[in-house]
Amino acid sequence: MQSVDGKNFLNIAVFVSGTGTNMQAMIEAGVPISLIVADRPCKALKIANEANISTALIERTNFGSNFDREEYTSRVLHTLQTHNIGLVAMAGYMTILGNSVFKEYGGRILNTHPSLLPLFKGDRAVKDALEAGATETGCTIHIATNELDAGPILAQRAVPILKNDTVEILHERIKKEERVLYPEVLKDILSGNVALIS
Ligand code: GRF
């Protein structure tokens, strides 16, 4: 399954905004990554550069209510097409993209989320799980759609919530699982063990 819709399926772009530990786990697991895309200068870009992987900083400068999401998304789309990307893996990417990218890459954008979806959607997932008094939470690898944190689920892992957990401690326990699960899912897709719907 090397070519889907004229795109080279093996060309994977990983989207990051922060520390990039999931991206690093993919690199260490031998997932072939063609491009790292970031929406802001971040540690993940430094790691990508050190690993000699091509990077694209498509900087988002406007975080206000008048942010032109579609214009930003068209810049992202152009970059993906220029690099002949077939599959996108969002790993801590903090910008919600507009419709055009989901039209063009529908079913081929993955995301990791730090909760057992459909529980605790959104960017406060770890805090919300703690505040809800849940006894467990976890991580979900899913297909991203234009509805936030709602696309088809590919894999999940549960982690316990322990007495005295802080957001930071609990998030790190979740990320430990994400860093194993996400590369596994990507490898399963590349080997054809998990099929994506195009
Ligand atoms: C992960 O927990 C991911 O689920 C969330 O952001 C975190 C990214 O961590 N959306 P890192 O940048 O990979 O270290």
Side-chain angles (χ1 to χ4, degrees), residues 104-153:
E104 189 63 27
Y105 279 87
R108 301 190 175 278
I109 303 177
L110 309 188
N111 184 38
T112 178
H113 183 76
S115 78
L116 295 173
L117 289 173
L119 296 175
F120 308 118
K121 295 176 180 178
D123 62 1
R124 294 164 31 110
V126 181
K127 193 167 190 274
D128 287 349
L130 259 187
E131 286 177 1
T135 54
E136 71 165 17
T137 184
C139 59
T140 303
I141 313 299
H142 68 102
I143 295 172
T145 63
N146 59 2
E147 196 184 335
L148 189 66
D149 300 331
I153 291 170

Side-chain angles (χ1 to χ4, degrees), residues 18-23 91-94 111-114 171 174-175 178-179:
T19 50
T21 63
N22 276 282
M23 177 205 75
Y93 186 68
M94 294 305 289
N111 184 38
T112 178
H113 183 76
H171 198 176
I174 296 168
K175 282 170 66 165
E178 287 183 293
R179 292 193 283 259

Side-chain angles (χ1 to χ4, degrees), residues 9 26 39 57 73 77 82-85 91 108 119 159 196:
F9 191 48
M26 291 172 195
D39 63 353
L57 173 58
T73 302
L77 197 48
T82 304
H83 287 82
N84 195 25
I85 297 299
R108 301 190 175 278
L119 296 175
V159 304
L196 296 178

Side-chain angles (χ1 to χ4, degrees), residues 1-10 80-81 84-87 101-109 196-198:
M1 200 192 336
Q2 300 219 348
S3 178
V4 178
D5 298 340
K7 298 181 198 88
N8 187 344
F9 191 48
L10 290 180
L80 294 179
Q81 288 165 336
N84 195 25
I85 297 299
L87 186 68
V101 79
F102 294 105
K103 269 192 200 139
E104 189 63 27
Y105 279 87
R108 301 190 175 278
I109 303 177
L196 296 178
I197 312 142
S198 56

Side-chain angles (χ1 to χ4, degrees), residues 10-67:
L10 290 180
N11 284 345
I12 298 178
V14 179
F15 280 35
V16 291
S17 299
T19 50
T21 63
N22 276 282
M23 177 205 75
Q24 188 162 19
M26 291 172 195
I27 296 169
E28 284 167 9
V31 174
I33 301 173
S34 301
L35 181 69
I36 305 291
V37 175
D39 63 353
R40 66 199 76 189
C42 57
K43 190 175 169 201
L45 279 181
K46 196 169 168 273
I47 297 168
N49 284 328
E50 282 165 7
N52 286 319
I53 300 173
S54 301
T55 58
L57 173 58
I58 308 171
E59 194 161 0
R60 174 177 174 181
T61 48
N62 184 347
F63 288 84
S65 56
N66 61 344
F67 170 55

